[in-house]
């Protein structure tokens, strides 16, 4: 929970949520040289299950402002955390802050991901994908 002071004498309380909350398992992404494989859905989002190193992939994340929320801007961050042979490697990519989203409305946020060649261990590497949603009063 966090506090946004809109005016000196008014305080609004908002609860932020993670799209992938702990302890729910993260999405595991297979990274390889080659073509994009099948996709999985996260709400209305389309997230590649397999991505090619050295190629830009655009992730679309759908964000909904609850009807009891306040007009807000949103930002999503994708964090790739290596497992197995690439354990310890981390790559972070974020969207820009969105335009204002009114209560009960939604917006698609786009994040461009370009993993460098050192993201690989040999030809294939595995990463867990954590998606974090941030918000602030518009």
């Amino acid at each position: 929970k966090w506090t946004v002071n809109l005016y000196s004498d008014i305080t609004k309380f908002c609860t932020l949520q993670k799209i992938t909350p702990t302890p729910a398992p993260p999405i595991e992404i297979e990274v390889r040289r080659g073509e994009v494989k099948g996709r999985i859905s996260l709400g209305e989002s389309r997230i590649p299950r397999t991505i090619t190193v050295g190629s830009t992939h655009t992730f679309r994340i759908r964000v909904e402002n609850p009807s009891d929320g306040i007009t807000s801007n949103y930002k999503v961050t994708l964090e790739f955390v290596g497992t197995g042979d690439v354990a310890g490697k981390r790559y972070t990519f974020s969207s820009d802050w969105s335009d204002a989203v009114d209560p009960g409305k939604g917006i698609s946020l786009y994040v461009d991901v370009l993993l460098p060649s050192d993201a690989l261990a040999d030809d294939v590497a595995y990463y867990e994908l954590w998606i974090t949603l941030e918000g602030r009063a518009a």
Side-chain angles (χ1 to χ4, degrees):
K1 292 186 177 181
W2 55 288
T3 303
V4 178
N5 292 317
L6 301 177
Y7 303 99
S8 59
D9 58 345
I10 298 175
T11 302
K12 289 283 186 183
F13 294 92
C14 305
T15 301
L16 298 182
Q17 302 173 5
K18 280 192 171 184
I19 294 177
T20 307
T22 304
I27 299 163
E28 187 175 63
I29 298 290
E30 179 183 352
V31 180
R32 64 168 64 214
R33 290 190 174 92
E35 295 184 6
V36 173
K37 303 285 183 175
R39 296 174 177 270
I40 58 172
S41 291
L42 180 68
E44 296 180 28
S45 302
R46 302 292 290 169
I47 296 179
R49 186 70 173 167
T50 302
I51 65 177
T52 304
V53 164
S55 297
T56 300
H57 300 271
T58 301
F59 288 65
R60 180 173 72 87
I61 310 297
R62 181 72 183 168
V63 176
E64 300 290 336
N65 187 350
S67 57
D68 61 348
I70 61 172
T71 301
S72 303
N73 305 106
Y74 293 100
K75 176 181 178 179
V76 293
T77 299
L78 308 184
E79 183 176 18
F80 294 81
V81 180
T83 64
D85 292 341
V86 290
K89 288 191 177 183
R90 300 173 92 89
Y91 302 95
T92 302
F93 304 89
S94 296
S95 70
D96 294 328
W97 283 99
S98 72
D99 293 332
V101 182
D102 292 327
K105 302 291 183 181
I107 194 167
S108 290
L109 299 180
Y110 297 88
V111 183
D112 290 332
V113 171
L114 175 60
L115 291 182
S117 59
D118 67 0
L120 285 174
D122 298 320
D123 286 336
V124 176
Y126 291 90
Y127 288 83
E128 293 177 343
L129 172 59
W130 291 92
I131 303 174
T132 303
L133 174 62
E134 299 176 67
R136 66 183 183 192

